[in-house]
Amino acid sequence: MDIECTINGTERTFEVSKSELLLDVLRRNGYTGAKRGCDTGACGFCTVQIDGEPTMSCITPVTAVDGASIETIEGLGTQDDLHPVQKAFVDHSALQCGFCIPGMIMRSKALLESNPSPSEAEVREALADNLCRCTGYKKIVEAVLDASESMPPAEGVATDGGSTPADAESAACGDGCTLDRRSEQDLETEGSP
Ligand code: FES
Ligand code: FES
């Protein structure tokens, strides 16, 4: 069957089977910024926005997005022109391996679009379903709060880390990222975070 949807502002039609999940279809069609961690809706690595709502694509039937508008990390900024949330993650060195970052950023962007000035408690609550296995959450929360002050009502997030600024920019951009790809291979080999 065919599924028609809008991804990052572009209308797309995908040939899918009824039993497929959105994450599989996205990744098969080049949207590899959404990561596969647990594959059970427990880690948030695969988070994208569907009609503005942060959604775990690994447990979303692809049939549910027929006619929907989907945003993935590829639709945000580039390494030369980061989205405010991406920039905040980089500025706060809020990541290490970067594997969780696309999901963190999409979740944070959704939060800031619905609540432009969240409290720290609200940021922590919003990110509760997004896990990071290699860093603390302090820098991530700080990045989201920073993004809430620096961007026009709608976007932001980050992780804690030890990467160089250049590494951080790559990871924050989702696809086209050496750190992401290496980490993704590691996780897919290991199975879960
Ligand atoms: S891969 Fe989707 S929630 Fe973990
Ligand atoms: S899993 Fe979050 S930076 Fe590595």
Side-chain angles (χ1 to χ4, degrees):
M1 64 180 292
D2 284 345
I3 290 290
E4 296 182 0
C5 58
T6 300
I7 299 187
N8 302 327
T10 300
E11 292 183 7
R12 297 291 308 267
T13 301
F14 300 119
E15 186 175 339
V16 304
S17 63
K18 287 184 179 177
S19 61
E20 280 193 288
L21 295 164
L22 177 58
L23 179 61
D24 297 310
V25 175
L26 286 175
R27 293 183 59 80
R28 186 172 72 236
N29 287 280
Y31 300 96
T32 55
K35 302 306 182 198
R36 188 189 309 282
C38 64
D39 232 6
T40 61
C43 73
F45 290 4
C46 62
T47 302
V48 298
Q49 284 180 268
I50 299 176
D51 293 332
E53 292 298 317
T55 305
M56 295 182 188
S57 59
C58 74
I59 54 172
T60 300
V62 71
T63 52
V65 302
D66 194 25
S69 177
I70 301 169
E71 287 182 88
T72 70
I73 192 77
E74 289 88 352
L76 274 64
T78 65
Q79 292 198 31
D80 294 330
D81 183 21
L82 294 175
H83 181 280
V85 178
Q86 293 171 312
K87 184 176 186 304
F89 270 78
V90 172
D91 289 347
H92 287 265
S93 298
L95 60 119
Q96 286 189 18
C97 77
F99 200 82
C100 70
I101 298 305
M104 286 282 188
I105 287 176
M106 296 311 294
R107 177 78 63 176
S108 299
K109 174 176 171 293
L111 165 66
L112 296 179
E113 287 171 349
S114 64
N115 180 2
S117 301
S119 65
E120 178 177 339
E122 288 172 329
V123 172
R124 290 184 178 278
E125 181 179 359
L127 296 180
D129 290 336
N130 285 63
L131 305 181
C132 176
R133 70 177 185 176
C134 56
T135 188
Y137 295 91
K138 186 171 183 293
K139 290 183 178 180
I140 293 173
V141 172
E142 289 173 350
V144 179
L145 291 171
D146 185 27
S148 74
E149 297 176 357
S150 64
M151 80 180 203
E155 295 154 357
V157 171
T159 311
D160 175 333
S163 304
T164 64
D167 287 342
E169 279 196 28
S170 293
C173 286
D175 215 330
C177 167
T178 302
L179 282 177
D180 263 359
R181 291 197 181 116
R182 183 186 60 207
S183 304
E184 179 181 352
Q185 289 169 354
D186 289 345
L187 274 187
E188 288 178 346
T189 299
E190 295 166 16
S192 60

